[in-house]
Amino acid sequence: MAFVTRQLLRSMSSASDPATAAAKKIAIKQVTVIGGGLMGAGIAQVAAATGHTVVLVDQAEDILKKSRKGIEDSLKRVAKKMFADKPEASSQFVEKTLKNLTVSTDAASVVHSSDLVVEAIVENLNVKNELFNRLDKFAPEHTIFASNTSSLPITQIANSTSRQDRFGGLHFFNPVPMMKLVEVIKTPMTSQKTFDSLIDFSKALGKNPVSCQDTPGFIVNRLLVPYMLEAVRLYEKGHALKEDIDVAMKLGAGYPMGPFELLDYVGLDTCKYIIDGWHDAEPGNPLFAPSPLLDKLVEEKKFGKKTGEGFYKYK
Ligand code: CAA
Ligand code: NAD
């Protein structure tokens, strides 16, 4: 069984005949990103910075204004590192990237010219399905749809469309400009051409793609989310201070952030959606048990860094 899985994963990560596969792949040049929050803004930024024409979509102009400002600030940080003592090259890079990026509040009217639509909206199956079902009617035949979901089955999202063969998972990591990994998810219906195109797109963004079956949490979150929730349970039981747990995992395990810092960074609302969804699917699994403290913070709208308070307070 393990051998079969290994073979399947191997076949997923490389096309059998590169020359034939290359001819079949879709060259992704025009990208629509839906959702201008933490993740969507980051995905739009790296796509624009690597020469793609990008439209970023969200529900309101004021949200998009904030997304654009966040992208500009992040680009300046990237440029400062890339062009350390070349201020002119640095500002040219920022300007050029911003030229590749436009914003819109009307997804249906912009997808007509897209090779790829990447969705990064709220972690809710019904809302994602409603969006994709609507866009399916407006996007051209060749357009690939991809979801950046952290925890939902890609197959169930793809089923809201009539293009299951042109649908895959494209799971980025926060902060997108810094994190090198993309998990590319192939459902049983995803065509090899779609999968290869998503792998190529990830590489074109300068990322390192890995493949995974359509299993809850894929690779990273299946390990990371139970770990973060276990840290909350340790704290809830009074076994250690959250500050000490964070220091312990940074200095004792070499993690760049402690679990509470990371929960706040990811967003407590998103973490709650993830764990609640898995708990509903497998109520008896202790790894997926909800946390009363996490629930309370989300109830109080303390979503972490993005709202100024979560486990910690932010300026
Ligand atoms: N944009 C651009 N550049 C950035 C950046 C951003 N958002 N964040 C950091 N940088 C760069 C900058 O060059 C920055 O230097 P300046 O402050 O001078 O601009 C440099 O990185 C150092 O940043 P920091 O001093 O803020 O902090 P750091 O050294 O700790 O690095 C970090 C920040 C990269 C976020 C690091 O702490 C880290 O890797 N943390 C773990 C993140 C992680 O685990 N992400 C995965 C979350 S799970 C997920 O995403 C999946 C899911 O579905 C929930
Ligand atoms: P976020 O709350 O920062 O942003 C979500 C954005 O989507 C908001 O700006 C919201 O206005 C917008 N939105 C909601 N419904 C919409 C709709 N119907 N049409 C257009 N825009 C809509 O959330 P996020 O952290 O960026 O997460 C987005 C997705 O990415 C989720 O599926 C999440 O699970 C996944 N994800 C999150 C992280 C993370 O660390 N936060 C990492 C990887 C994947």
Side-chain angles (χ1 to χ4, degrees):
M1 184 63 185
F3 174 73
V4 173
T5 308
R6 270 202 304 278
Q7 287 293 94
L8 180 63
L9 286 174
R10 227 170 264 143
S11 74
M12 283 162 61
S13 40
S14 63
S16 48
D17 172 359
T20 327
K24 286 182 188 164
K25 282 184 262 184
I26 289 173
I28 294 170
K29 298 282 178 217
Q30 314 236 25
V31 183
T32 298
V33 180
I34 322 257
L38 282 176
M39 295 307 290
I43 297 165
Q45 176 183 328
V46 293
T50 48
H52 299 84
T53 305
V54 183
V55 185
L56 178 62
V57 177
D58 208 303
Q59 302 177 107
E61 294 290 353
D62 60 326
I63 302 177
L64 285 165
K65 206 170 158 193
K66 209 174 141 200
S67 314
R68 221 184 138 84
K69 170 81 173 72
I71 290 172
E72 201 173 331
D73 290 346
S74 174
L75 274 173
K76 285 180 184 160
R77 294 173 83 183
V78 172
K80 200 177 75 187
K81 250 190 178 171
M82 272 172 81
F83 307 98
D85 9 290
K86 295 178 190 145
E88 211 162 288
S90 174
S91 42
Q92 269 173 13
F93 166 77
V94 174
E95 261 173 49
K96 204 173 158 196
T97 301
L98 291 174
K99 270 193 191 144
N100 288 340
L101 180 78
T102 51
V103 296
S104 170
T105 52
D106 184 6
S109 73
V110 298
V111 290
H112 63 83
S113 55
S114 298
D115 302 312
L116 172 69
V117 175
V118 185
E119 166 274 315
I121 66 168
V122 62
E123 188 72 345
N124 177 299
L125 184 63
N126 291 335
V127 181
K128 288 187 194 285
N129 282 352
E130 193 276 324
L131 174 77
F132 277 120
N133 178 270
R134 192 161 55 87
L135 296 187
D136 197 25
K137 300 174 182 75
F138 292 93
E141 192 70 15
H142 80 280
T143 307
I144 295 176
F145 283 2
S147 175
N148 180 55
T149 179
S150 300
S151 63
L152 299 167
I154 300 296
T155 307
Q156 283 186 29
I157 309 175
N159 283 345
S160 66
T161 71
S162 60
R163 59 178 83 212
Q164 288 100 331
D165 58 322
R166 282 149 288 149
F167 205 115
L170 208 50
H171 187 220
F172 291 85
F173 293 81
N174 182 21
V176 183
M178 300 301 293
M179 304 302 279
K180 287 283 173 210
L181 187 71
V182 179
E183 290 173 327
V184 182
I185 315 305
K186 189 177 193 282
T187 77
M189 292 99 71
T190 309
S191 70
Q192 191 62 39
K193 177 176 161 180
T194 298
F195 178 75
D196 292 342
S197 305
L198 291 175
I199 292 279
D200 281 2
F201 175 66
S202 307
K203 288 181 183 165
L205 300 186
K207 303 293 181 197
N208 191 336
V210 295
S211 60
C212 179
Q213 290 183 357
D214 190 15
T215 177
F218 317 127
I219 301 170
V220 173
N221 284 346
R222 181 62 182 77
L223 300 172
L224 191 60
V225 175
Y227 148 74
M228 292 195 292
L229 263 289
E230 192 57 17
V232 180
R233 283 188 275 274
L234 196 66
Y235 172 53
E236 276 172 327
K237 286 176 190 157
H239 291 177
L241 298 174
K242 61 180 188 304
E243 292 80 2
D244 283 347
I245 298 173
D246 276 347
V247 169
M249 292 314 290
K250 285 189 283 188
L251 301 188
Y255 287 21
M257 287 178 171
F260 294 93
E261 291 167 332
L262 190 55
L263 280 154
D264 276 357
Y265 198 69
V266 166
L268 302 190
D269 50 342
T270 300
C271 294
K272 179 172 158 53
Y273 294 136
I274 297 172
I275 207 70
D276 286 355
W278 291 353
H279 177 67
D280 286 348
E282 282 187 49
N285 190 337
L287 290 176
F288 302 159
S291 145
L293 178 55
L294 182 66
D295 291 352
K296 180 175 170 287
L297 290 170
V298 173
E299 174 82 35
E300 292 167 357
K301 303 261 179 279
K302 293 174 181 165
F303 294 162
K305 210 170 169 206
K306 65 183 168 186
T307 56
E309 188 171 353
F311 285 101
Y312 297 111
K313 284 191 177 158
Y314 302 86
K315 284 197 183 118

